[in-house]
Amino acid sequence: SVENTRDIIGVIETRPQLAPYQVALARGISERYLSPLFDTVALMLPPGFERKVVTYVSLAPEPRDVSLTEQQQQLFDLVPRQGRVSLVELEKSSGKKKAQTVISQLVRLGLVARSYELEKERVKPKIVPYLRLLVGANEACQEAAGWRDKRVAKQAVLLDFLAGQPGLVSWAETRQKTGCTKATADALVKKGLVAFQPVEVRREPISYENIVPSSPLALTAAQKSAVESIKSSLLANTPPVFLLHGVTGSGKTEVYLQALAGTVKLGKRGIVLVPEIALTPQTIERFAARFPHRVAVLHSRLSLGEQFDEWQRIRKGEFDVVIGSRSAIFAPQPDLALIVIDEEHEWTYRQQDTPRYHARDAAIKLAELTGATVVLGSATPDVATYYHAQQGDYQLLQLAERVTPKEGSPLPQVEIVDLRSELKAGNLGPFSRSLVRAVASAVLEQEQVILFLNRRGAATFVQCRNCGFVFRCRRCEVALTYHSAEDALVCHQCNYRMAVPQVCPRCASRRIKFLGTGTQKLEEEAGLAFPRARLLRWDSDVTRGKHSHEEVLRKFRGHEADILIGTQMIAKGLDLPLVTLVGVVNADTGLNLPDFRAGERTFQLLSQVAGRAGRGARWGRVIVQTYSPEHYAIQAASKHDYAAFYEREIAQRRELHYPPFTRLAYLVYSHANLGVCQREAERVKRLLMTERDARGIADLTITGPAPAFVQRRRGRFRWQIVLRGAELAAFLSEIPLPRGWTVDIDPVGLS
């Protein structure tokens, strides 16, 4: 129980915002990931719903006559004699902690009083003024015809325009087409001829201007079997979770579309998740063509107003399908019967901040609560997902062949180039001799090429060649990356930026060298190697605008560029029929990270990016450049052999006791002082071991403490402890960790 409570100062909404199943889902996520319940509930509230309480300070009705310290007097003088001031304003003048402490002292002294109000609403329905004619059109025309005086000529023009309209006209459109001012319209309002009328308009994120309705495609036998299995599950009392394992280009999207059509035919609805905002333009286009004006979209690139309108319309049941990134799983879609998670293996489905949920697990829990069917689709399923399918927990559906205009097996031929041999031959550039010949040939044949490198920037680090000094972020223990477009060094952890130095700060040498290659540098090198080719780059540095992804995709699909250079976002689900060649510039960028999933992620990335080649009428080819050609992940990807990769990977996981044979918890402590950080990590390690031994939990192993992979981030040192066991959430929920600790249950990375 709570002794002191605050008064309720207002009702935000008269009806419940959450359905019972959403409350249960929020509790389930909170318990699984040890997230505060309020944070998980907030995932399901309308966009912009969160409103902070604003604290105001004013003089007390009868202030006492007391002596004050200098600090107290300074703040007391800032409180207006009449009215009030927000606590935030006072914090700006003297610091947050100091202001809060001193104001509390002044309240106890009876000099000031605090009051609380909710901040203003962040988003509302969009209300636009329209003009309405109050008389008949003929009467209005006759009235206007009689106005010959120049002083009312503009009024006549406006009246004639409104008389020619079939209904209400927005004031913005009226002003644009007539050139009339607000004063002219107000004059007609006074005469009782027209009236302004507020109209609620919808902020529509999807433009159907270039979307042509489409019809279902003919299905292969494997596709038809998959669709029928999913449709049958829609009628089951306990529908299964499906894993749709199909090679790249095998027509998984058509299976989704026809399964959704069957869902809609039953009077039900669906949600479709994609892993990247970059994929939403293409996905929206295909789904909106099949379900015209019945598709909603939710993702962070929409304005708050667009998100608000879409959420409200979804809640009212105006859409058959909701498409979006991971947070779209919490859309209030009524009559939910089908949930599709495309590219289910992608780590972007995991929320990296509190609450640290995984959209795939949230979807499966949501399906349990609503009776919906879940379809997990991927050409390279997560190892744990495929293991569940092998164990019978999920039902496996397979599409083993591509659906393309070509006959025969159209999976692209993959060539592995050993970069060690290229160095021995004297080739120091980023492109092997084989890749140079292949790119030149493809461009000559008016085909398109993708060059993939999972690093952005122009140089991955900058070093003094005299003393070896490497320029690092002053707040993070990482090397700064050179970005040539901005001519600046940038930290990819905290976005700290600094000008490019002319001399070394340690030895004053001018021998500053830019080392390593990112996508910006690769674009420069490609321009030199292929001067006649038109280049286009697609990474997070060039897609910061709201419609940047759509613009890049439109240009490349329209063949306004011959070579597309990009990071991992180009590897995910794009259908580009003119691409015949994919070049993986360096397959080793993620292979040697200190993460047990490094091999899996490398295999997935290589397989997915290779899958962009040869999806049209022409054969595809892939060239993979690597310093580790013998690695099992690279070998399996080159042969499009998921089964071989899975058998090797699952055997290692079983031997080393990694997921899916156990669960992990990643505990990180951060502090501005390195010594304090290390001592606290060691203290908590001892606490965890004591609690484990006291409860007799035999299968719980505790590794660490040790510095995190990124040891310092945003000025704070980081130490980590890794737990491995079955019931980690239950164990950790009973151990109160102090401030500064973050707990990540089932992490997707250990960095």
Side-chain angles (χ1 to χ4, degrees):
S1 62
V2 179
E3 293 182 2
N4 298 316
T5 61
R6 293 177 181 173
D7 294 335
I8 296 174
I9 59 177
V11 177
I12 296 177
E13 184 71 31
T14 56
R15 60 175 177 166
Q17 290 291 306
L18 300 181
Y21 76 85
Q22 290 177 302
V23 175
L25 178 60
R27 288 191 182 278
I29 294 173
S30 174
E31 292 168 0
R32 173 163 184 163
Y33 296 105
L34 298 182
S35 299
L37 181 58
F38 180 83
D39 290 344
T40 57
V41 167
L43 294 168
M44 299 163 211
L45 295 174
F49 184 86
E50 305 88 353
R51 292 167 62 186
K52 296 179 181 177
V53 174
V54 181
T55 303
Y56 290 96
V57 179
S58 58
L59 287 181
E62 297 180 2
R64 300 174 185 174
D65 185 13
V66 295
S67 61
L68 300 175
T69 65
E70 184 180 349
Q71 285 187 349
Q72 291 171 340
Q73 189 66 51
Q74 287 175 352
L75 267 177
F76 182 68
D77 291 340
L78 294 175
V79 179
R81 304 301 88 158
Q82 300 289 332
R84 61 186 184 173
V85 62
S86 71
L87 181 58
V88 173
E89 291 299 318
L90 297 177
E91 290 171 352
K92 290 178 182 177
S93 65
S94 55
K96 185 174 182 179
K97 189 173 182 179
K98 176 182 172 183
Q100 292 177 354
T101 301
V102 175
I103 289 299
S104 295
Q105 293 169 355
L106 295 175
V107 169
R108 287 195 295 270
L109 291 170
L111 295 176
V112 300
R114 279 183 294 216
S115 59
Y116 307 93
E117 285 186 13
L118 285 174
E119 67 179 355
K120 293 182 180 179
E121 293 175 286
R122 295 173 59 201
V123 62
K124 295 179 180 179
K126 186 176 182 180
I127 305 298
V128 174
Y130 273 65
L131 279 175
R132 178 164 57 91
L133 202 59
L134 297 178
V135 296
N138 292 333
E139 183 181 344
C141 290
Q142 291 173 5
E143 183 78 21
W147 294 348
R148 302 300 180 188
D149 192 319
K150 290 183 179 180
R151 290 175 297 177
V152 292
K154 280 289 187 182
Q155 296 178 30
V157 170
L158 178 55
L159 203 58
D160 273 333
F161 173 76
L162 294 175
Q165 303 304 310
L168 297 176
V169 190
S170 75
W171 168 237
E173 179 186 348
T174 303
R175 187 176 55 223
Q176 180 185 5
K177 292 185 176 179
T178 64
C180 293
T181 64
K182 181 71 162 46
T184 302
D186 288 339
L188 292 180
V189 171
K190 287 182 179 179
K191 292 177 180 178
L193 297 172
V194 301
F196 277 101
Q197 181 173 324
V199 175
E200 181 179 335
V201 297
R202 294 167 176 168
R203 288 158 282 210
E204 177 64 71
I206 300 179
S207 172
Y208 283 86
E209 184 177 345
N210 298 316
I211 295 179
V212 180
S214 67
S215 300
L217 303 178
L219 299 176
T220 64
Q223 285 177 308
K224 187 175 182 180
S225 175
V227 171
E228 291 303 319
S229 295
I230 297 169
K231 285 183 177 179
S232 297
S233 76
L234 297 173
L235 303 174
N237 292 326
T238 55
V241 174
F242 290 101
L243 171 59
L244 182 61
H245 180 204
V247 298
T248 55
S250 59
K252 292 186 290 293
T253 302
E254 187 62 28
V255 171
Y256 304 153
L257 286 164
Q258 297 203 23
L260 279 165
T263 304
V264 174
K265 194 173 181 180
L266 294 173
K268 303 290 186 178
R269 309 173 198 277
I271 293 175
V272 178
L273 300 189
V274 291
E276 285 276 1
I277 295 173
L279 286 179
T280 52
Q282 177 178 276
T283 307
I284 289 167
E285 182 180 329
R286 296 186 68 174
F287 280 78
R290 199 66 62 86
F291 304 96
H293 301 283
R294 301 292 295 174
V295 173
V297 57
L298 284 176
H299 58 73
S300 60
R301 285 290 178 95
L302 301 181
S303 70
L304 188 58
E306 288 172 330
Q307 293 180 51
F308 178 83
D309 286 356
E310 290 290 274
W311 193 95
Q312 297 294 347
R313 294 176 66 192
I314 292 168
R315 188 185 191 188
K316 294 175 184 175
E318 295 185 22
F319 298 107
D320 295 326
V321 184
V322 176
I323 294 175
S325 48
R326 62 175 174 264
S327 60
I329 193 63
F330 304 114
Q333 180 76 306
D335 303 314
L336 180 63
L338 183 62
I339 303 170
V340 173
I341 303 184
D342 192 29
E343 310 295 355
E344 66 84 30
H345 63 277
E346 287 291 348
W347 65 270
T348 49
Y349 283 124
R350 177 61 188 262
Q351 171 80 11
Q352 297 301 308
D353 298 319
T354 302
R356 292 177 171 81
Y357 69 91
H358 198 298
R360 179 181 58 224
D361 298 324
I364 293 172
K365 181 65 176 178
L366 176 60
E368 291 176 5
L369 295 167
T370 60
T373 295
V374 177
V375 178
L376 309 173
S378 178
T380 56
D382 184 284
V383 166
T385 302
Y386 198 77
Y387 176 79
H388 284 303
Q390 294 292 306
Q391 296 298 112
D393 302 326
Y394 303 159
Q395 187 171 327
L396 182 62
L397 306 173
Q398 291 191 297
L399 305 176
E401 295 183 355
R402 276 188 165 184
V403 180
T404 68
K406 302 184 293 294
E407 294 182 359
S409 176
L411 285 170
Q413 175 188 354
V414 180
E415 174 188 349
I416 297 178
V417 174
D418 189 342
L419 289 177
R420 296 170 299 186
S421 300
E422 292 293 312
L423 288 176
K424 289 178 182 178
N427 181 9
L428 303 180
F431 306 118
S432 63
R433 293 162 294 178
S434 177
L435 184 56
V436 168
R437 290 192 297 269
V439 171
S441 175
V443 172
L444 185 65
E445 294 293 326
Q446 296 187 339
E447 299 167 347
Q448 288 184 301
V449 178
I450 287 177
L451 295 178
F452 169 75
L453 178 64
N454 205 21
R455 279 194 188 130
R456 56 193 177 98
T460 50
F461 66 101
V462 180
Q463 186 176 42
C464 172
R465 300 308 297 271
N466 190 55
C467 71
F469 176 82
V470 174
F471 290 86
R472 298 182 180 275
C473 175
R474 65 183 184 183
R475 297 184 292 180
C476 308
E477 291 294 329
V478 295
L480 294 170
T481 300
Y482 174 60
H483 286 243
S484 57
E486 307 166 51
D487 194 29
L489 301 182
V490 181
C491 174
H492 287 179
Q493 295 292 325
C494 71
N495 207 35
Y496 165 75
R497 295 162 187 267
M498 65 175 287
V500 178
Q502 299 300 313
V503 297
C504 173
R506 177 189 289 172
C507 70
S509 169
R510 291 184 174 273
R511 296 180 63 201
I512 305 296
K513 187 73 173 178
F514 298 85
L515 301 170
T517 300
T519 47
Q520 284 187 14
K521 179 66 173 177
L522 193 65
E523 185 179 24
E524 296 170 9
E525 294 283 354
L528 296 174
F530 314 107
R532 296 186 179 180
R534 297 166 297 170
L535 306 180
L536 193 61
R537 180 159 55 91
W538 195 352
D539 57 28
S540 59
D541 291 325
V542 297
T543 53
R544 294 176 180 172
K546 182 176 178 181
H547 301 292
S548 302
H549 293 292
E550 292 96 319
E551 186 62 19
V552 173
L553 183 58
R554 182 195 63 78
K555 286 182 178 180
F556 197 62
R557 290 175 70 180
H559 207 167
E560 295 181 31
D562 304 303
I563 301 175
L564 177 64
I565 298 165
T567 54
Q568 60 185 8
M569 59 181 63
I570 67 173
K572 301 174 182 178
L574 296 173
D575 191 6
L576 303 165
L578 290 179
V579 173
T580 58
L581 174 66
V582 167
V584 178
V585 177
N586 189 341
D588 309 326
T589 53
L591 197 57
N592 299 309
L593 292 175
D595 192 326
F596 73 93
R597 291 187 176 90
E600 178 183 16
R601 287 193 178 163
T602 297
F603 172 81
Q604 290 167 341
L605 264 177
L606 294 181
S607 299
Q608 292 288 339
V609 75
R612 302 315 108 205
R615 297 171 73 99
R618 304 182 186 185
W619 296 102
R621 183 183 179 191
V622 181
I623 296 177
V624 177
Q625 301 183 163
T626 175
Y627 291 98
S628 309
E630 68 286 342
H631 195 281
Y632 71 94
I634 292 175
Q635 284 292 325
S638 71
K639 299 171 185 175
H640 310 287
D641 194 344
Y642 180 84
F645 162 77
Y646 172 79
E647 291 302 327
R648 177 73 177 269
E649 185 72 17
I650 202 69
Q652 287 188 3
R653 302 271 185 98
R654 183 182 288 107
E655 180 181 352
L656 298 173
H657 200 51
Y658 277 126
F661 301 103
T662 189
R663 296 181 67 189
L664 296 181
Y666 183 48
L667 280 61
V668 178
Y669 183 73
S670 63
H671 197 278
N673 183 284
L674 175 59
V676 172
C677 190
Q678 181 176 353
R679 287 193 296 272
E680 171 63 12
E682 291 170 347
R683 185 190 71 81
V684 168
K685 163 72 175 291
R686 292 192 295 270
L687 171 65
L688 293 171
M689 293 181 68
T690 300
E691 292 289 339
R692 177 197 63 184
D693 296 342
R695 299 171 196 215
I697 307 176
D699 71 337
L700 178 60
T701 60
I702 303 172
T703 305
F709 177 57
V710 179
Q711 185 177 2
R712 193 174 181 220
R713 180 179 289 166
R714 300 181 186 275
R716 298 177 69 85
F717 293 94
R718 305 166 70 244
W719 275 61
Q720 66 181 24
I721 300 173
V722 179
L723 276 65
R724 189 166 13 185
E727 301 297 331
L728 295 177
F731 173 69
L732 290 170
S733 65
E734 298 177 4
I735 300 175
L737 295 174
R739 290 184 63 182
W741 281 97
T742 59
V743 179
D744 193 355
I745 304 293
D746 300 328
V748 294
L750 302 178
S751 61

